Amino acid sequence: MINKEVKTQSRNYTIPLITITLLFFMWGFITCMNDILIPYLKQLFKLTFFESMLVQFCFFGAYFIGSLIYFLISISKGDPINKAGYKKGIMFGIFLAAFGCVLFYPAATFSYYPLFLGALFILGLGFTVLQITANAYVSLLGSEESASSRLNMTQAFNAFGTTIAPVLGGHLIFEFFSAPDGSFSAVATRIPYLIFAGILLLVALLISRVKLPSFQTQEEEIVKGWGALQFSHLKFGVFAMFCYVGGEVAVGSFIISFLEQPQIMGFNEIISKNYLSLYWGGAMIGRFLGAISLNQSLSQGKKAVYMLGAAAAVFLVIFSIVDLSFAQISFFLVFIVLNFIAFFIGKAAPARTLSIFAGINVILLISAMVNHGELAMYSILGIGIFNSIMFSNIYTLAISGLGKYTSQGSSLVVMAILGGAIVPIFQGYLADQLGVQHSFIIPVFCYLVILVFGAYCSKYLGHVESTDAKSGH
């Protein structure tokens, strides 16, 4: 049971939500920089695909290590967040992530790949703390019924960061801070990551000045032991999150290499980074649409109008960001229409919508594997818009109804972000053996698991979704 320490405090959570959303944007930006680092470091250190995927292995492996430590503390001494408070947890995560960014300076100075991996591990640990605290915090800033909608909105701004990162970050590393002769040099990463550290510290300063509501469990209700594991939908949700993060990260990590293939498009890194932005931009569009579609307070008519306006606005934002013509990104309109249809078939039910989107991604991945040229490219880029609601829907479905075990369950779900470390490694190995295009069979299996999880939750948590349907949404 949640106890609001100051019972008279305002229920208007707009300012806290805006502040946390700014944080989501920044960590989305920095996380997506890994997709720029992978091809960059691969050429710089002459790495195989498997070796270059150690970038994601160290970064997302930190999520597993950090979440495991958190979980072990919670089952032996009680939930640390309930004791320290969400604000302190968020601040600690920001400082740790900023320190990881600073470590890029010595790694670049000595041009030593293991130091880069160490910096990414520390950065990942910082984001682990943020995932555990900030996601659960957003879910508490309002009713449980609208938690998926709020998380989709904050994740939309996280995706805005991932959309800008390939263009801005790619320009900084591949062009602005590159060597005068255009050759690859590790020092090109020094200044960008110092800038990222500075921005994170500014966000920390802002959060320190904003009054955030406190949500803490009463002392006598702090739980120990393995209680969260009694919920079968949580255990399945942990596996689904492993597959989702693994699939999304693997696809994003290989897009530049995929578009470089002569049978696909034969693009270089400078061109490919713009298309990588479309992949993450699709996630941004889908999350804004998801935030509206899953908002239980809106009628179907209002949802349609708001979703159409949001899609048009975000599409124009993406068009203004990427260095591509309208003709080059017009195919995206087809995916937006398909996304609309999928949302309305899902009828605002998180589990049903999750299954539909996962099924579409399976089809798109198979298309990318068997086709060549633009059709293969469009298929792989279209996956982003259907990834959109997966994190928030899996997260909220997995921790639904956990009560006093919510934070413990949250740490388990965040632990499953380990998928971002493991799945790209397997795909990297397969790419070295069979080629990049055929290696996408790995994410196919990931999305099949998500499809089944959505179907399972539709049945297991069916009373929740039937309630939504009866309310006319």
Side-chain angles (χ1 to χ4, degrees), residues 65 76 123 136 140 163 192 230 265 267 271 276 293 309 361 380 457:
I65 299 298
S76 61
L123 182 58
L140 294 174
T163 303
Q230 68 185 281
M265 298 302 294
F267 292 154
I271 296 176
L276 177 61
S293 174
N361 274 355
I380 209 71
C457 286

Side-chain angles (χ1 to χ4, degrees), residues 39 52 61 63 123 143 168 184 187 204 238 247 263 272 277 324 331 356 368 401 408 439 443:
S52 67
Y63 279 78
L123 182 58
S143 66
L168 179 57
F184 284 82
V187 296
V238 169
Q263 77 275 20
S272 296
S277 279
L324 297 171
F331 72 91
I356 293 170
Q408 189 180 97
S439 70

Side-chain angles (χ1 to χ4, degrees), residues 353-470:
T353 305
L354 181 65
S355 284
I356 293 170
F357 279 33
I360 292 173
N361 274 355
V362 169
I363 296 171
L364 290 174
L365 279 165
I366 293 173
S367 174
M369 291 173 60
V370 301
N371 292 302
H372 296 150
E374 290 187 342
L375 182 56
M377 177 181 73
Y378 296 156
S379 297
I380 209 71
L381 296 179
I383 292 169
I385 196 169
F386 297 101
N387 278 337
S388 55
I389 50 86
M390 289 189 182
F391 182 94
S392 55
N393 283 22
I394 293 172
Y395 182 88
T396 52
L397 287 168
I399 66 172
S400 176
L402 297 191
K404 60 186 179 181
Y405 298 106
T406 297
S407 291
Q408 189 180 97
S410 176
S411 69
L412 286 171
V413 177
V414 173
M415 196 184 302
I417 292 177
L418 175 69
I422 302 300
V423 175
I425 285 285
F426 276 99
Q427 188 171 347
Y429 175 79
L430 208 60
D432 287 326
Q433 304 302 315
L434 303 177
V436 172
Q437 191 169 12
H438 293 108
S439 70
F440 283 99
I441 189 64
I442 299 291
V444 167
F445 288 110
C446 292
Y447 287 106
L448 284 173
V449 170
I450 298 167
L451 188 158
V452 175
F453 172 69
Y456 174 82
C457 286
S458 288
K459 181 178 180 180
Y460 185 84
L461 304 175
H463 63 284
V464 175
E465 301 208 339
S466 63
T467 299
D468 292 341
K470 289 177 182 177

Side-chain angles (χ1 to χ4, degrees), residues 99-121:
F99 179 60
C101 289
V102 170
L103 290 178
F104 270 78
Y105 194 91
T109 300
F110 293 105
S111 191
Y112 188 48
Y113 188 47
L115 283 180
F116 278 104
L117 298 179
L120 285 161
F121 182 80

Side-chain angles (χ1 to χ4, degrees), residues 148-183:
S148 285
S149 177
R150 287 193 306 278
L151 269 177
N152 269 298
M153 181 60 71
T154 53
Q155 288 290 333
F157 282 93
N158 181 274
F160 184 38
T162 62
T163 303
I164 294 176
V167 176
L168 179 57
H171 175 71
L172 291 175
I173 291 177
F174 286 125
E175 300 174 70
F176 193 79
F177 288 108
S178 65
D181 60 358
S183 62

Side-chain angles (χ1 to χ4, degrees), residues 184-454:
F184 284 82
S185 172
V187 296
T189 61
R190 288 193 304 193
I191 303 302
Y193 275 85
L194 285 181
I195 294 172
F196 302 156
I199 295 174
L200 282 172
L201 293 176
L202 287 175
V203 173
L205 178 62
L206 175 62
I207 290 176
S208 70
R209 300 295 181 89
V210 173
K211 181 175 177 58
L212 299 181
S214 176
F215 300 101
Q216 291 180 291
T217 312
Q218 294 180 13
E219 187 65 29
E220 67 271 19
E221 293 180 349
I222 291 179
V223 294
K224 301 179 182 180
W226 300 79
L229 292 177
Q230 68 185 281
F231 299 93
S232 58
H233 69 283
L234 171 65
K235 289 183 283 189
F236 200 167
V238 169
F239 184 46
M241 184 63 80
F242 176 95
C243 292
Y244 159 67
V245 177
E248 181 185 56
V249 171
V251 172
S253 298
F254 275 93
I255 280 180
I256 290 179
S257 297
F258 181 73
L259 298 182
E260 286 177 342
Q261 302 300 304
Q263 77 275 20
I264 306 301
M265 298 302 294
F267 292 154
N268 60 28
E269 293 89 351
I270 294 176
I271 296 176
S272 296
K273 66 179 175 57
N274 290 293
Y275 285 94
L276 177 61
S277 279
L278 292 182
Y279 172 74
W280 293 111
M284 177 172 61
I285 291 176
R287 284 168 185 166
F288 276 115
L289 298 185
I292 298 169
S293 174
L294 298 174
N295 188 327
Q296 306 301 335
S297 65
L298 297 176
S299 66
Q300 288 286 66
K302 286 185 177 180
K303 283 182 182 181
V305 173
Y306 292 164
M307 289 171 72
L308 183 62
V314 177
F315 181 81
L316 290 175
V317 169
I318 294 173
F319 178 61
S320 66
I321 291 172
V322 297
D323 187 19
L324 297 171
S325 68
F326 180 80
Q328 289 173 306
I329 69 169
S330 57
F331 72 91
F332 227 62
L333 296 173
V334 175
F335 289 115
I336 292 175
V337 172
L338 184 58
N339 199 249
F340 263 84
I341 295 171
F343 268 122
F344 282 102
I345 293 175
K347 297 181 179 178
R352 190 184 304 125
T353 305
L354 181 65
S355 284
I356 293 170
F357 279 33
I360 292 173
N361 274 355
V362 169
I363 296 171
L364 290 174
L365 279 165
I366 293 173
S367 174
M369 291 173 60
V370 301
N371 292 302
H372 296 150
E374 290 187 342
L375 182 56
M377 177 181 73
Y378 296 156
S379 297
I380 209 71
L381 296 179
I383 292 169
I385 196 169
F386 297 101
N387 278 337
S388 55
I389 50 86
M390 289 189 182
F391 182 94
S392 55
N393 283 22
I394 293 172
Y395 182 88
T396 52
L397 287 168
I399 66 172
S400 176
L402 297 191
K404 60 186 179 181
Y405 298 106
T406 297
S407 291
Q408 189 180 97
S410 176
S411 69
L412 286 171
V413 177
V414 173
M415 196 184 302
I417 292 177
L418 175 69
I422 302 300
V423 175
I425 285 285
F426 276 99
Q427 188 171 347
Y429 175 79
L430 208 60
D432 287 326
Q433 304 302 315
L434 303 177
V436 172
Q437 191 169 12
H438 293 108
S439 70
F440 283 99
I441 189 64
I442 299 291
V444 167
F445 288 110
C446 292
Y447 287 106
L448 284 173
V449 170
I450 298 167
L451 188 158
V452 175
F453 172 69

